[in-house]
Amino acid sequence: MANKISDETIEYVGILAKLKLSEEEKEAAKADMEKMLDYIDILNELDTSGVEPMSHVFPVNNVFREDVVTNGDGRESALANAPKRREDSFEVPRTIG
Amino acid sequence: MEILKLTALELSAKIKAGEIKVKDAVKAALDRIKEAEPAVNSFVTIDEAGAYRQAEIIQEEIDAGRMTGLLAGVPAAVKDNLCMDGILTTCSSRILSGFRPAYTAQAVENLQKAGVVILGKTNMDEFAMGSTTETSCYGPAKNPHNTGHVPGGSSGGSCAAVAAGECFGALGSDTGGSIRQPGSFCGVVGLKPTYGTVSRYGLIAYGSSLDQIGPVTRDVSDCAAFLEAIASHDPKDSTSVERPDYHFTGALVDDVKGLRIGIPKDYMGEGLDPEVRQAVMEAAAVLKKRGAAVEMADLGLVRYAIPAYYTIAAAEASSNLERFDGVKYGYRAEDYDGLHDMYKKTRSEGFGPEVKRRILLGSFVLSSGYYDAYYLKALRTKALIKKEFDKAFEKYDLLLGPTAPTVAPKLGESLGDPLKMYLGDIYTISVNLAGLPGMTVPVGKNREGLPIGMQLIGKPFDEKTLIRAAYTYECATEKQYEEVVLDINTAAKEAE
């Protein structure tokens, strides 16, 4: 079965992935993805009906802990990494109207 | 005295006996790094001043008798996806340029507590996505055995650094074979622990359900000692498991009598290089001679591991890498029109082609309409693969096979056909899907002098059996750490 990725699909996936793709990159991504999906489709040879999807390999339960602060004030070292900062805030482009 | 020829355990013993000073060990390693780096490019950040500062403190602790551990005073390196407080940490990606974490990964902190000196950060495939260390934004690392070949990946820098004698051990991370495959290509020992054994706190995530940190070392004894140092139960990683026994060096026993070893038939068939096959079968014969019961074994569903893995890993990657948006750290695009355009431009300019490929695939398999058909199908396949291993381990104590189907490919031959590159992960990937421990041990070289690795796969939480079998093999073959002698001038010429 040959997969076909439409222009709309690659456009939509680009939005989900938050990636800006040039026309050239879009064509390459379509070809790449079609090839990968054709390959992934061999999983359809397997009968997985009645098999629970396994997200974690060992039988572990939810791990809870008290929400207590254990680290010190890391404000300055965190902000030091900001590509743009204004005083004690991360600076971003205008987000509301 | 030739410090560089010692293993980590030998070096630490001499340091504790007062025969070698920590700063001299650090100097020897740093000198070797300066000599070898133009040819191998295994480091991306070298913290020379920090290394000498650590050496001084550790020397004092040792002299005062407060630090007596197996690895006290040993210079080592860590992969560039492990956070270190104040030290540049980039995952070999432009998008993390300039990032200095405010905290240190638990595994690295454990090493530091054990008295290990961290020399710097090692080169890797961008965000650990790749099998050759060629997707690094710093340019590829090279294989010290032949610098015209790749070191493997994604922990190629860690493995090349250990092989080139630039450090006495290193940490890597393994999501689909990223410690074992480069370990095999570089002729060093590498171990991926059972999922949950080493805390992932401070490891920049790729595929969270698959990632584990593990050691890369010169021999099996060092491997056990490094694993012992880094493994811990950590409340900061909710997938961390509390194990009753962390005494991995206790498994350094030269005896495999009665051990049941299975060689999966599907690991020895089509696609396997004949020289790799021969070396692995000879290694199996060594263990048989030492009293293990070795036979060919059935392990089903081998061909389904790669498609299941790339679906799951890409899905998790697309989610994990959403955090790189140009707001809090790293790279931000110069010109943009509003917030969303900033996100998109930053990510498009900051990520390389292989990372984008996996983010796009992951976004697709998680999107509504495809989630069941791809993502859930892969998770169901994972359950079946785990069951196949459970069945095999009813009959065998461990599984043995090649680590990779080939020796290290030449530089520049792999990235053109990603799917073909992914197929090289065939023997390592299912181990991550099933959460099992896996180890690579050097078992010789091919005619061109490129190393070959044997992979040992164990039951969950049974690293000790892997270490015992690997140690027995090492004792039987009298294998010792051999320094790779790099011809720097020739390598530099080739690089031109």
PDB file of all heavy atoms in Angstrom, chain B residues 88-103:
ATOM      1  N   LEU B  88      27.773  24.953  29.411  1.00  0.00           N
ATOM      2  CA  LEU B  88      27.070  24.925  28.133  1.00  0.00           C
ATOM      3  C   LEU B  88      26.538  23.517  27.825  1.00  0.00           C
ATOM      4  O   LEU B  88      27.284  22.539  27.877  1.00  0.00           O
ATOM      5  CB  LEU B  88      28.052  25.364  27.038  1.00  0.00           C
ATOM      6  CG  LEU B  88      27.476  25.710  25.669  1.00  0.00           C
ATOM      7  CD1 LEU B  88      26.557  26.917  25.762  1.00  0.00           C
ATOM      8  CD2 LEU B  88      28.614  25.999  24.689  1.00  0.00           C
ATOM      9  N   THR B  89      25.243  23.422  27.542  1.00  0.00           N
ATOM     10  CA  THR B  89      24.591  22.129  27.275  1.00  0.00           C
ATOM     11  C   THR B  89      23.688  22.326  26.069  1.00  0.00           C
ATOM     12  O   THR B  89      22.703  23.059  26.158  1.00  0.00           O
ATOM     13  CB  THR B  89      23.781  21.689  28.511  1.00  0.00           C
ATOM     14  OG1 THR B  89      24.666  21.513  29.616  1.00  0.00           O
ATOM     15  CG2 THR B  89      23.041  20.386  28.253  1.00  0.00           C
ATOM     16  N   THR B  90      24.016  21.702  24.938  1.00  0.00           N
ATOM     17  CA  THR B  90      23.309  22.063  23.698  1.00  0.00           C
ATOM     18  C   THR B  90      22.652  20.916  22.939  1.00  0.00           C
ATOM     19  O   THR B  90      21.981  21.156  21.944  1.00  0.00           O
ATOM     20  CB  THR B  90      24.282  22.725  22.699  1.00  0.00           C
ATOM     21  OG1 THR B  90      25.193  21.723  22.213  1.00  0.00           O
ATOM     22  CG2 THR B  90      25.065  23.862  23.325  1.00  0.00           C
ATOM     23  N   CYS B  91      22.864  19.663  23.348  1.00  0.00           N
ATOM     24  CA  CYS B  91      22.378  18.531  22.553  1.00  0.00           C
ATOM     25  C   CYS B  91      22.903  18.617  21.116  1.00  0.00           C
ATOM     26  O   CYS B  91      22.264  18.127  20.184  1.00  0.00           O
ATOM     27  CB  CYS B  91      20.856  18.463  22.520  1.00  0.00           C
ATOM     28  SG  CYS B  91      20.125  17.928  24.055  1.00  0.00           S
ATOM     29  N   SER B  92      24.035  19.253  20.914  1.00  0.00           N
ATOM     30  CA  SER B  92      24.598  19.461  19.577  1.00  0.00           C
ATOM     31  C   SER B  92      23.587  20.071  18.618  1.00  0.00           C
ATOM     32  O   SER B  92      23.511  19.700  17.452  1.00  0.00           O
ATOM     33  CB  SER B  92      25.162  18.159  18.993  1.00  0.00           C
ATOM     34  OG  SER B  92      26.317  17.763  19.692  1.00  0.00           O
ATOM     35  N   SER B  93      22.775  20.997  19.145  1.00  0.00           N
ATOM     36  CA  SER B  93      21.758  21.653  18.325  1.00  0.00           C
ATOM     37  C   SER B  93      21.896  23.162  18.404  1.00  0.00           C
ATOM     38  O   SER B  93      22.156  23.716  19.472  1.00  0.00           O
ATOM     39  CB  SER B  93      20.355  21.264  18.805  1.00  0.00           C
ATOM     40  OG  SER B  93      19.377  21.929  18.026  1.00  0.00           O
ATOM     41  N   ARG B  94      21.674  23.805  17.264  1.00  0.00           N
ATOM     42  CA  ARG B  94      21.716  25.263  17.220  1.00  0.00           C
ATOM     43  C   ARG B  94      20.640  25.862  18.119  1.00  0.00           C
ATOM     44  O   ARG B  94      20.816  26.941  18.690  1.00  0.00           O
ATOM     45  CB  ARG B  94      21.487  25.702  15.764  1.00  0.00           C
ATOM     46  CG  ARG B  94      21.626  27.170  15.562  1.00  0.00           C
ATOM     47  CD  ARG B  94      21.354  27.554  14.115  1.00  0.00           C
ATOM     48  NE  ARG B  94      21.611  28.978  13.914  1.00  0.00           N
ATOM     49  CZ  ARG B  94      21.126  29.675  12.915  1.00  0.00           C
ATOM     50  NH1 ARG B  94      20.379  29.090  12.005  1.00  0.00           N
ATOM     51  NH2 ARG B  94      21.396  30.947  12.800  1.00  0.00           N
ATOM     52  N   ILE B  95      19.517  25.147  18.261  1.00  0.00           N
ATOM     53  CA  ILE B  95      18.401  25.744  19.005  1.00  0.00           C
ATOM     54  C   ILE B  95      18.725  25.906  20.487  1.00  0.00           C
ATOM     55  O   ILE B  95      18.077  26.687  21.181  1.00  0.00           O
ATOM     56  CB  ILE B  95      17.093  24.942  18.797  1.00  0.00           C
ATOM     57  CG1 ILE B  95      15.892  25.882  18.977  1.00  0.00           C
ATOM     58  CG2 ILE B  95      16.992  23.749  19.748  1.00  0.00           C
ATOM     59  CD1 ILE B  95      14.639  25.438  18.296  1.00  0.00           C
ATOM     60  N   LEU B  96      19.716  25.170  20.979  1.00  0.00           N
ATOM     61  CA  LEU B  96      20.115  25.332  22.381  1.00  0.00           C
ATOM     62  C   LEU B  96      21.417  26.120  22.510  1.00  0.00           C
ATOM     63  O   LEU B  96      22.086  26.036  23.544  1.00  0.00           O
ATOM     64  CB  LEU B  96      20.231  23.968  23.071  1.00  0.00           C
ATOM     65  CG  LEU B  96      18.932  23.467  23.722  1.00  0.00           C
ATOM     66  CD1 LEU B  96      19.081  22.050  24.241  1.00  0.00           C
ATOM     67  CD2 LEU B  96      18.490  24.388  24.856  1.00  0.00           C
ATOM     68  N   SER B  97      21.749  26.896  21.480  1.00  0.00           N
ATOM     69  CA  SER B  97      23.019  27.615  21.551  1.00  0.00           C
ATOM     70  C   SER B  97      23.017  28.555  22.757  1.00  0.00           C
ATOM     71  O   SER B  97      22.037  29.243  23.033  1.00  0.00           O
ATOM     72  CB  SER B  97      23.293  28.377  20.254  1.00  0.00           C
ATOM     73  OG  SER B  97      22.156  29.093  19.848  1.00  0.00           O
ATOM     74  N   GLY B  98      24.104  28.524  23.497  1.00  0.00           N
ATOM     75  CA  GLY B  98      24.256  29.412  24.645  1.00  0.00           C
ATOM     76  C   GLY B  98      23.564  28.955  25.917  1.00  0.00           C
ATOM     77  O   GLY B  98      23.646  29.628  26.940  1.00  0.00           O
ATOM     78  N   PHE B  99      22.896  27.796  25.890  1.00  0.00           N
ATOM     79  CA  PHE B  99      22.132  27.362  27.069  1.00  0.00           C
ATOM     80  C   PHE B  99      23.044  26.853  28.189  1.00  0.00           C
ATOM     81  O   PHE B  99      23.812  25.916  28.001  1.00  0.00           O
ATOM     82  CB  PHE B  99      21.135  26.262  26.672  1.00  0.00           C
ATOM     83  CG  PHE B  99      20.382  25.681  27.845  1.00  0.00           C
ATOM     84  CD1 PHE B  99      19.716  26.496  28.749  1.00  0.00           C
ATOM     85  CD2 PHE B  99      20.340  24.305  28.035  1.00  0.00           C
ATOM     86  CE1 PHE B  99      19.018  25.951  29.824  1.00  0.00           C
ATOM     87  CE2 PHE B  99      19.653  23.755  29.110  1.00  0.00           C
ATOM     88  CZ  PHE B  99      18.993  24.584  30.004  1.00  0.00           C
ATOM     89  N   ARG B 100      22.934  27.478  29.350  1.00  0.00           N
ATOM     90  CA  ARG B 100      23.663  27.037  30.545  1.00  0.00           C
ATOM     91  C   ARG B 100      22.652  26.674  31.616  1.00  0.00           C
ATOM     92  O   ARG B 100      22.049  27.563  32.221  1.00  0.00           O
ATOM     93  CB  ARG B 100      24.608  28.139  31.040  1.00  0.00           C
ATOM     94  CG  ARG B 100      25.768  28.379  30.089  1.00  0.00           C
ATOM     95  CD  ARG B 100      26.662  29.524  30.531  1.00  0.00           C
ATOM     96  NE  ARG B 100      27.623  29.825  29.477  1.00  0.00           N
ATOM     97  CZ  ARG B 100      28.797  29.203  29.342  1.00  0.00           C
ATOM     98  NH1 ARG B 100      29.143  28.272  30.203  1.00  0.00           N
ATOM     99  NH2 ARG B 100      29.603  29.514  28.341  1.00  0.00           N
ATOM    100  N   PRO B 101      22.460  25.384  31.850  1.00  0.00           N
ATOM    101  CA  PRO B 101      21.430  24.943  32.799  1.00  0.00           C
ATOM    102  C   PRO B 101      21.691  25.485  34.207  1.00  0.00           C
ATOM    103  O   PRO B 101      22.830  25.799  34.568  1.00  0.00           O
ATOM    104  CB  PRO B 101      21.560  23.425  32.792  1.00  0.00           C
ATOM    105  CG  PRO B 101      22.275  23.097  31.539  1.00  0.00           C
ATOM    106  CD  PRO B 101      23.152  24.258  31.237  1.00  0.00           C
ATOM    107  N   ALA B 102      20.605  25.558  34.980  1.00  0.00           N
ATOM    108  CA  ALA B 102      20.710  26.040  36.357  1.00  0.00           C
ATOM    109  C   ALA B 102      20.832  24.868  37.334  1.00  0.00           C
ATOM    110  O   ALA B 102      20.801  25.061  38.534  1.00  0.00           O
ATOM    111  CB  ALA B 102      19.481  26.879  36.687  1.00  0.00           C
ATOM    112  N   TYR B 103      20.942  23.662  36.811  1.00  0.00           N
ATOM    113  CA  TYR B 103      21.054  22.499  37.692  1.00  0.00           C
ATOM    114  C   TYR B 103      21.805  21.387  36.972  1.00  0.00           C
ATOM    115  O   TYR B 103      22.014  21.446  35.754  1.00  0.00           O
ATOM    116  CB  TYR B 103      19.680  22.004  38.131  1.00  0.00           C
ATOM    117  CG  TYR B 103      18.830  21.492  36.995  1.00  0.00           C
ATOM    118  CD1 TYR B 103      18.698  20.115  36.766  1.00  0.00           C
ATOM    119  CD2 TYR B 103      18.176  22.366  36.139  1.00  0.00           C
ATOM    120  CE1 TYR B 103      17.929  19.635  35.718  1.00  0.00           C
ATOM    121  CE2 TYR B 103      17.420  21.896  35.087  1.00  0.00           C
ATOM    122  CZ  TYR B 103      17.290  20.536  34.886  1.00  0.00           C
ATOM    123  OH  TYR B 103      16.549  20.064  33.842  1.00  0.00           O
TER     124      TYR B 103
END
